[in-house]
Amino acid sequence: MSYSSASSMENPMASETQQNPYYIHVRACCGKATDSHSLAKRARREKISKKMSCLQDLVPGCNNITEKAGMLDEIINYVQSLQNKVEFLSVKLSVLNPIVEFNVENLPIEE
């Protein structure tokens, strides 16, 4: 028996990683699953947490809120208040300068 076949007999993961270069062996911490569905769910939760953290940093006063539902309520209220301010300012601008036609719907939106 050659060395390479002996090592694959001792460690079945070694032959699997050699056959599939995209195979990733994951060691789970205590109580965490390693199947692909659970890993996908974990990755999705981590991505959502990062996005929520970014939103928390953008909205003033949101850093104090720990629960996601309360944080989303605060973010929704903040965005609605911004929309109201934009609407008010556009009306004020149109009153001050009636010659310029100002349409809020046609403003470019940065993403």
Side-chain angles (χ1 to χ4, degrees):
M1 187 181 278
S2 70
Y3 178 73
S4 62
S5 62
S7 65
S8 65
M9 291 287 243
E10 292 170 11
N11 188 0
M13 290 293 191
S15 65
E16 192 169 342
T17 55
Q18 289 171 355
Q19 292 172 359
N20 186 355
Y22 300 107
Y23 176 80
I24 299 173
H25 177 69
V26 178
R27 282 192 106 142
C29 296
C30 185
K32 291 188 178 178
T34 58
D35 61 292
S36 61
H37 184 68
S38 296
L39 290 174
K41 286 185 353 185
R42 189 183 322 161
R44 187 173 60 245
R45 282 193 306 267
E46 287 174 3
K47 187 175 178 181
I48 289 170
S49 293
K50 285 179 185 177
K51 298 289 183 177
M52 291 293 283
S53 175
C54 289
L55 272 175
Q56 231 177 352
D57 293 340
L58 288 173
V59 177
C62 214
N63 289 330
N64 306 339
I65 303 170
T66 56
E67 63 175 13
K68 287 184 182 180
M71 188 182 351
L72 287 172
D73 284 339
E74 188 66 29
I75 291 166
I76 290 168
N77 291 336
Y78 181 70
V79 170
Q80 286 175 341
S81 72
L82 289 177
Q83 286 176 330
N84 290 337
K85 287 179 185 178
V86 167
E87 191 175 313
F88 172 75
L89 290 173
S90 67
V91 168
K92 189 174 181 179
L93 183 63
S94 66
V95 167
L96 293 175
N97 195 359
I99 299 169
V100 177
E101 190 170 316
F102 188 74
N103 193 350
V104 177
E105 285 77 29
N106 293 335
L107 287 176
I109 298 173
E110 292 182 18
E111 293 187 25

